[in-house]
Amino acid sequence: YPVLYMQDGQQVFDPLTSTWRHDWQVDEWCTQLIGEYRMDEIIVVAVYSTEDRYLEYNPSMAGREYSRFVMEELKPFIDSEYRTQPGRETTAIAGSSMGATIAFYIAWTQSHAFSAAACLSPAFRFRNDEYCLQMVRKASAPMPDLRLYLYCGEGDALEKELMGGMREMEGLLKERGFEEERNLKVSEDPAAAHNEESWAGHTDDWLLFLFGR
C-alpha cells in the first residue's frame, strides 16, 4: 500500500487523545473516500509529537535530527513490518502548524523518498524564523519533483499571522515552476481557526490531492 506519514499523531485518529477533543478524522475520511473508489487504499502512520515538538519540528533547530529519525529509523521500520509500496511515488507526508513546516522540509530535502506533502496552516514565517522560505528562495534548478498542498485559514489571530508566510511560499513556488492543480494546490478558508476541528474540515480535499484516483 502507499504510505502517508503524519505529524502530531495523537491528533490524527482519536478525539480522546487529541487536543480539545477534536481529531483530523483521517480514518473516517479514508474509509469514505476509499469506499467511494475516489482514492487508493493507504497506510497512515501517525507519529506522536513530544514535549520538544517546537524544536523537533523546526528545521533550524532539531528538525534535521527529526528528519534523520524519519528517514533512517521510522520509514525503514514501517517498510519492513508492513505491506508497503516503499517508493517515492507512493509515499507522502503531512502536518499542521509546525508539523506542516517539518513536513515541507522533509519532502523538499528528501524528495528521493517522498513525492508529495500536505501542509496545513504552515509556520513558514513564525517567531522571526523563515527557514523553509529561505530554503526555497536559495534553491537552484532543478526543483524537487513534488506535489504540494498548502492551506491556511484566517479565522483567528494566529492563522492571520501564518497566512502571509503561506502566500509568500505560494509565490516562491510558482516562480520556480510549480503550477496550480498540476503539482500545487493552495486553499484558504477565511472563517477557519488554528485547530484540529478546522483542519478536519479539509482532510478530504488534501487526501484526494495526494492519493485521489
Side-chain angles (χ1 to χ4, degrees), residues 60 104 108 124-125 128-140 165 168-169 172 176:
S60 65
F104 183 95
W108 190 270
F124 290 143
R125 185 188 294 118
N128 298 315
D129 193 317
E130 297 187 359
Y131 189 97
C132 286
L133 289 169
Q134 293 283 13
M135 180 176 66
V136 176
R137 285 191 198 107
K138 296 176 181 177
S140 56
E168 182 171 353
M169 180 64 81
L172 288 171
R176 282 149 181 79

Side-chain angles (χ1 to χ4, degrees), residues 180-191:
E180 286 270 5
E181 300 303 331
R182 182 178 69 84
N183 56 2
L184 176 66
K185 183 169 185 180
V186 180
S187 177
E188 298 182 6
D189 186 344

Side-chain angles (χ1 to χ4, degrees), residues 122-196:
F124 290 143
R125 185 188 294 118
F126 184 63
R127 297 182 182 176
N128 298 315
D129 193 317
E130 297 187 359
Y131 189 97
C132 286
L133 289 169
Q134 293 283 13
M135 180 176 66
V136 176
R137 285 191 198 107
K138 296 176 181 177
S140 56
M143 293 296 106
D145 181 15
L146 295 170
R147 289 178 297 109
L148 298 170
Y149 181 101
L150 306 181
Y151 157 88
C152 197
E154 288 187 291
D156 60 21
L158 182 51
E159 287 290 275
K160 289 177 181 177
E161 179 182 354
L162 298 178
M163 179 67 83
M166 188 197 77
R167 286 175 174 165
E168 182 171 353
M169 180 64 81
E170 175 188 0
L172 288 171
L173 291 170
K174 287 179 176 178
E175 288 174 5
R176 282 149 181 79
F178 285 79
E179 298 177 2
E180 286 270 5
E181 300 303 331
R182 182 178 69 84
N183 56 2
L184 176 66
K185 183 169 185 180
V186 180
S187 177
E188 298 182 6
D189 186 344
H194 193 83
N195 57 42
E196 284 70 28

Side-chain angles (χ1 to χ4, degrees), residues 62-121:
R64 280 168 282 188
E65 181 64 15
Y66 178 79
S67 176
R68 185 209 61 77
F69 155 73
V70 171
M71 292 302 302
E72 298 181 13
E73 298 183 46
L74 179 61
K75 189 176 186 302
F77 172 80
I78 296 298
D79 288 336
S80 68
E81 295 293 323
Y82 297 91
R83 295 168 55 197
T84 69
Q85 296 176 14
R88 67 173 304 277
E89 291 297 334
T90 51
T91 308
I93 190 166
S96 64
S97 195
M98 289 302 299
T101 306
I102 197 66
F104 183 95
Y105 171 79
I106 291 174
W108 190 270
T109 59
Q110 307 293 334
S111 60
H112 64 283
F114 293 88
S115 63
C119 307
L120 284 80
S121 305

